[in-house]
Amino acid sequence: MSALCEIRGLSATYRGHPVPALTNIDLDIHAGERLAIIGESGSGKSTLARTIAGLLPAGARVRGEMRWSVGQAPLPGRDMGFVFQDPSASLNPVLTIGEQVAEGARRHLGLTWKAADQRALDMLERVRVPDPAKVLKAFPHQLSGGQRQRVAIAAALAASPGILIADEATSALDMIVQAEIVSLLDELVREAGMTLVFITHDVALASGFADRVAIFRGGELVEAGPVGAVLSVPENIYTKTLLASHRDLSTPPLIRETAT
Ligand SMILES: Nc1ncnc2c1ncn2[C@@H]1O[C@H](COP(=O)(O)OP(=O)(O)OP(=O)(O)O)[C@@H](O)[C@H]1O
Ligand SMILES: [Mg+2]
């Protein structure tokens, strides 16, 4: 597979923080692949996702390069879908769900409002939102956290982006819905050639679904490569420890130690 994006020497530092959240990352994103980003809490996964999408907060400093094969960076919302870790961050509280899911399709696919509304309804059905016609007319605060998460995924996919960056997009969902969304994403990767970069702390999900994985720790890339090579035969001692312990990566180390 050819590299869609070559990330070289990438570092990111938030305003007012002396220590970089990401340090000197070299990583390729291949066109049409499922790339899993794994690492414990605070390891820089969301920072990487936001850096790739150009969505870091104001004042953050980025060094290094991201070379896109298409010449310029994909436009978020049109060529690139992004699902935030916190689904409320993806949704506008004063617009209905229908307006938000339809907007991307209308603007970027050139659909009429009517066609875009139909597309929004289809997308909500595909992410298994119950009673999608009613949800279209609702505002984000009227939905449960799991529904908001699914709506955020639908909104990110509505304009058929070439690349989707999903930050813990399914972790708030129960196993069955998670499996359905994973199969939808799988379909989009296989049939539409979408590139998927997904962040997860679920090693089992990554090993079953990813083509390649990248392991992060303390803002650094520990190891990256094909899923079989990294998760079955890890070269790195940290990756070995991580797999051997099968610990829940959602808990930061300090809290985990205190709790045990
Ligand atoms: N907006 C921000 N301002 C300042 N520092 C931040 C901000 N967001 C994250 N950080 C810091 O950057 C580092 C990496 O955080 P990041 O959110 O990228 O980790 P993560 O791997 O996504 O963690 P989690 O699994 O908990 O979501 C952490 O030390 C974090 O405290
Ligand atoms: Mg995160």
Side-chain angles (χ1 to χ4, degrees):
M1 278 187 200
S2 58
L4 173 67
C5 181
E6 292 176 353
I7 297 171
R8 294 293 179 269
L10 189 76
S11 300
T13 310
Y14 290 100
R15 179 156 64 187
H17 289 252
V19 182
L22 277 183
T23 310
N24 206 18
I25 306 301
D26 291 336
L27 179 67
D28 285 353
I29 302 171
H30 297 168
E33 75 169 344
R34 289 163 278 217
L35 173 65
I37 309 290
I38 307 181
E40 62 192 10
S41 187
S43 57
K45 306 182 298 295
S46 295
T47 305
L48 177 72
R50 288 194 294 255
T51 308
I52 294 170
L55 293 173
L56 283 174
R61 271 186 300 121
V62 177
R63 292 213 179 120
E65 280 186 83
M66 282 186 290
R67 294 193 287 262
W68 294 90
S69 66
V70 281
Q72 63 194 47
L75 192 68
R78 188 184 70 189
D79 312 312
M80 179 188 285
F82 193 93
V83 186
F84 286 85
Q85 187 167 12
D86 168 10
S88 47
S90 303
L91 299 172
N92 185 330
V94 301
L95 294 179
T96 65
I97 300 304
E99 285 166 330
Q100 306 192 46
V101 180
E103 170 62 15
R106 192 186 62 81
R107 185 142 38 114
H108 301 305
L109 300 180
L111 301 180
T112 61
W113 271 115
K114 194 160 177 263
D117 283 347
Q118 185 55 49
R119 168 103 184 139
L121 193 62
D122 293 345
M123 289 314 301
L124 291 184
E125 279 169 4
R126 292 190 78 178
V127 297
R128 303 281 187 257
V129 169
D131 205 349
K134 193 171 156 202
V135 167
L136 274 184
K137 298 195 181 76
F139 288 92
H141 74 270
Q142 295 170 310
L143 305 181
S144 71
Q147 282 173 321
R148 277 200 291 271
Q149 186 68 282
R150 279 178 260 180
V151 166
I153 296 168
L157 292 173
S160 300
I163 174 168
L164 179 75
I165 302 191
D167 191 352
E168 303 273 7
T170 59
S171 35
L173 305 173
D174 65 54
M175 293 294 282
I176 293 175
V177 176
Q178 182 181 82
E180 284 171 346
I181 290 186
V182 166
S183 110
L184 166 65
L185 295 176
D186 183 51
E187 205 178 295
L188 292 170
V189 169
R190 279 187 294 111
E191 288 167 18
M194 186 177 79
T195 305
L196 175 67
V197 178
F198 71 105
I199 292 170
T200 184
H201 59 264
D202 185 339
V203 177
L205 176 70
S207 65
F209 184 53
D211 301 306
R212 289 196 313 131
V213 292
I215 313 275
F216 278 76
R217 186 192 198 191
E220 293 181 9
L221 177 65
V222 173
E223 193 176 359
V227 65
V230 174
L231 297 185
S232 314
V233 197
E235 291 200 350
N236 194 286
I237 188 76
Y238 175 69
T239 310
K240 274 187 196 139
T241 320
L242 185 135
L243 294 174
S245 62
H246 258 275
R247 59 194 189 180
D248 183 354
L249 297 170
S250 61
T251 317
L254 195 62
I255 298 172
R256 206 164 45 229
E257 279 156 22
T258 320
T260 51

